[in-house]
């Protein structure tokens, strides 16, 4: 089957088998390995990307489901070599240890802030509930998210 979609702002197409997942296509066909492969059963959130602005576990999305849609991965957040404010905040607040959860976590935070630029701590916890981190204990992650001033060009 032929699938066409926007990937980090560029139109792409792929001749795919229907059982291929978006996660595997991103990593193996487009070499976008920032999207991490964890459980592959929808439990850990390491594979989170945005589909039409909503955070989705890409291991659970069959490639055909993104036909005609817009997919954004962690690589799509960097503009002109500049990190996104979410990425900068994670670094500044030491919210990264092994880093395996970080790309997926950042994508869920982007989906949250695009909808709600000033979330409460409870809203933040709810938004990242599907992103498991086995290193940080979440405190620095929540602190990083609370420190972000969302809005402006570099947040797109
Ligand atoms: S790899 Fe997709 S949710 Fe864990
Ligand atoms: S920093 Fe290691 S899993 Fe989150």
């Amino acid at each position: 089957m032929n699938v066409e979609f926007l990937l980090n702002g560029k139109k792409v197409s792929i001749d795919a088998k229907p059982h291929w997942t978006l996660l595997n296509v991103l990593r193996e066909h487009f070499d976008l390995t920032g999207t991490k492969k964890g459980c592959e059963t929808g439990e850990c959130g390491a594979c989170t990307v945005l589909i039409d602005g909503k955070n989705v576990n890409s291991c659970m999305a069959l490639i055909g489901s993104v036909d005609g849609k817009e997919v954004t991965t962690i690589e799509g957040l960097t503009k002109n070599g500049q990190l996104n404010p979410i990425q900068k905040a994670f670094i500044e607040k030491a919210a990264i240890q092994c880093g395996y959860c970080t790309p997926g976590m950042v994508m869920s935070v982007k989906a949250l802030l695009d909808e709600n630029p000033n979330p409460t701590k409870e809203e933040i916890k709810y938004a990242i509930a599907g992103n498991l981190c086995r290193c940080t204990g979440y405190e620095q992650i929540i602190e990083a998210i609370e420190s972000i001033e969302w809005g402006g060009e570099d947040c797109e």
Side-chain angles (χ1 to χ4, degrees):
M1 61 191 287
N2 188 261
V3 183
E4 282 189 5
F5 57 104
L6 270 187
L7 177 55
N8 296 332
K10 286 190 190 134
K11 198 170 176 180
V12 296
S13 71
I14 177 172
D15 187 20
K17 298 269 192 258
H19 65 275
W20 289 1
T21 64
L22 175 60
L23 172 63
N24 283 334
V25 168
L26 290 173
R27 291 179 55 87
E28 290 163 25
H29 186 85
F30 293 107
D31 289 329
L32 294 174
T33 54
T35 303
K36 298 302 177 208
K37 186 183 280 198
C39 63
E40 289 190 88
T41 55
E43 302 285 337
C44 75
C47 64
T48 304
V49 300
L50 304 185
I51 300 178
D52 287 349
K54 301 285 179 209
N55 50 321
V56 172
N57 290 329
S58 61
C59 69
M60 301 302 286
L62 291 174
I63 188 63
S65 70
V66 301
D67 192 46
K69 300 203 171 159
E70 182 168 5
V71 176
T72 308
T73 70
I74 190 74
E75 290 87 352
L77 295 198
T78 306
K79 297 267 153 53
N80 303 321
Q82 291 292 311
L83 293 178
N84 183 282
I86 303 168
Q87 295 166 303
K88 287 182 187 163
F90 270 57
I91 293 168
E92 279 161 18
K93 298 292 180 185
I96 304 167
Q97 286 185 30
C98 80
Y100 206 80
C101 70
T102 309
M105 191 77 77
V106 167
M107 298 315 285
S108 287
V109 175
K110 168 129 172 73
L112 166 68
L113 296 178
D114 280 345
E115 211 173 281
N116 177 5
N118 294 300
T120 63
K121 188 174 263 194
E122 286 312 306
E123 287 168 335
I124 290 171
K125 286 183 184 174
Y126 184 79
I128 62 169
N131 293 87
L132 304 186
C133 175
R134 47 192 278 177
C135 304
T136 65
Y138 298 97
E139 284 303 318
Q140 297 100 316
I141 291 174
I142 292 167
E143 206 181 307
I145 300 166
E146 285 179 319
S147 76
I148 299 166
E149 289 185 23
W150 197 244
E153 273 178 30
D154 57 351
C155 300
E156 288 168 7

